[in-house]
Amino acid sequence: WALATQYGAFKGNGADDFWLPPMIKEMKPVDHTLRLTMSTDVTLKDDSEPEMNGFAIAGHDRRFYPAEVRWLTEIGKDNTRKTIKTILVLSSPSVPEPAHYRYAWARNPMANITNHRQVILPAQRSDDWLLEETPLKFPTPTGMSAKDAGSQARAQLTKELGTNDTERRIKEAEATITSLQEELAKEKKAWEEAKRAKGAAGY
């Protein structure tokens, strides 16, 4: 990967494309999600893994939350479903209007997206926000040493992040409940229709 992308190796013999990693060609907000158009099909590093990991999204408040990631699914006129593996859809109950994403943006990221040759999606982000511009700011109290102020700020940050994480989990649980309620309502409706159909048929 490094030879192909950084040092120009394999040029002219058809092998250069083989080692190119999947890249994000376009980012577009659609219906409270972010859609990412990829340069190629992407998949999971290990087929046994249940879902794609590694993305976080944020709105204009600059607070990032883990994103749910899925391939785009289109429904045809005959109700057939088509999965488009070149488009990823990112969403989060905590981010109603996502504006930016980050991928594998951590010291030891849990990221598992590759192309079909197992070349990984590189760590990257779409924002250019500076750390100094993040929403959490803790002013130094008058008369406190820099060391003590740093310790206090870390404690406040830990508490704030813990609160944010709890809020995120509550929103995710609420979204799950809503989804299950909708699914249950559909199943009940289908069951009632089936019973009426059986009654009309006389059995």
Side-chain angles (χ1 to χ4, degrees), residues 79-151:
N79 287 329
T80 57
R81 292 177 174 267
K82 179 182 179 182
T83 300
I84 302 175
K85 292 194 172 184
T86 56
I87 298 179
L88 297 179
V89 181
L90 314 183
S91 62
S92 169
S94 302
V95 188
E97 299 295 336
H100 285 287
Y101 70 85
R102 290 179 178 179
Y103 178 73
W105 206 254
R107 182 171 297 172
N108 186 26
M110 301 296 290
N112 62 352
I113 299 176
T114 73
N115 64 13
H116 65 283
R117 296 189 179 103
Q118 295 291 292
V119 182
I120 63 170
L121 177 65
Q124 58 190 285
R125 65 177 183 168
S126 64
D127 69 282
D128 58 357
W129 297 330
L130 299 176
L131 181 61
E132 291 79 5
E133 298 172 346
T134 55
L136 299 180
K137 297 183 184 299
F138 305 103
T140 301
T142 303
M144 182 177 288
S145 68
K147 181 179 179 180
D148 291 341
S151 298

Side-chain angles (χ1 to χ4, degrees), residues 32-69:
H32 311 294
T33 69
L34 278 183
R35 286 189 186 179
L36 305 181
T37 301
M38 314 299 295
S39 60
T40 184
D41 288 1
V42 291
T43 187
L44 295 167
K45 184 178 181 180
D46 185 345
D47 291 338
S48 65
E49 295 178 358
E51 59 189 14
M52 289 179 279
N53 296 318
F55 275 104
I57 55 176
H60 291 290
D61 61 356
R62 305 189 180 195
R63 293 176 180 266
F64 280 91
Y65 295 88
E68 298 174 6
V69 188

Side-chain angles (χ1 to χ4, degrees), residues 168-187:
R168 174 181 65 83
R169 291 174 182 272
I170 290 172
K171 289 181 180 180
E172 288 177 347
E174 290 172 343
T176 300
I177 291 171
T178 299
S179 176
L180 290 174
Q181 286 175 334
E182 293 173 352
E183 185 177 339
L184 179 61
K186 290 179 182 178
E187 290 178 354

